[in-house]
Amino acid sequence: MKRWKVVVIGAGGTIGRAVVAELGERHEVIAVSRHGTPLCVDLDAPATIDALFDAVPDIDAIVSTAASVPLAPFGTLSDEGLARALHAKLFGQIALLQRAAVHLREGGSVTLTGGRFDGVLPGGSAGALANAGLEAFVAQAAPELPRGLRVNVVAPGWVQETLDALGLQGPKGTPAREVARLYAAAVEGTMSGQALRVFAGCQANRAASNSPSSAMAAAANPIQ
């Protein structure tokens, strides 16, 4: 397998660290976080995305694990508050894709982070809007990308380490190392325009990815 140059944004988080470890076994990985040095990227500030591409040439793949939307009851969301909630998760990741489409090497890929949970998540209306918008955008934008570039979005769901850190005894999560394999499948595979979700006990479509990470057979399924 070719050794690629992969930038992971949000590398200081639970999922980001796991993705760095997974991809680092086969590729050159550049770990970037909001407050990192010498490189930092804040998806709320598109200028920091520009600075990343100026500083790091010849990138093959970008993975974003940084964006999130805070939980807030619907009745507390003002117009301005809703816009702020959507900015990084939705518009920040769209800005990342727009710039990556110009700067990535031919045949490169972008993997974004969305999210979807079964049932109703209290306070999750803004997040649901951002995630649904991101999935729809990726599906529509993928065929228009130039130079054989690909884009996918991963919905990691409940991550076990995060639930443990919060002391929550609710839904069973997926270990971060398993979630990371799904991101790797998106990077190393051939699919584009897909929303990929972790499903315990399900078989992945091996035709979707011809990489070693397609063995993430219990995790990769398009979101319906």
Side-chain angles (χ1 to χ4, degrees), residues 83 131 160 180 192 198:
N131 293 326
Q160 190 61 52
S192 188
V198 172

Side-chain angles (χ1 to χ4, degrees), residues 64 93-94 96-97 110-114 134 138 151-154 183:
S64 169
Q93 291 195 102
I94 290 173
L96 176 64
L97 177 61
V110 179
T111 305
L112 306 177
T113 293
L134 188 62
V138 164
V151 61
N152 297 287
V153 57
V154 172
Y183 282 88

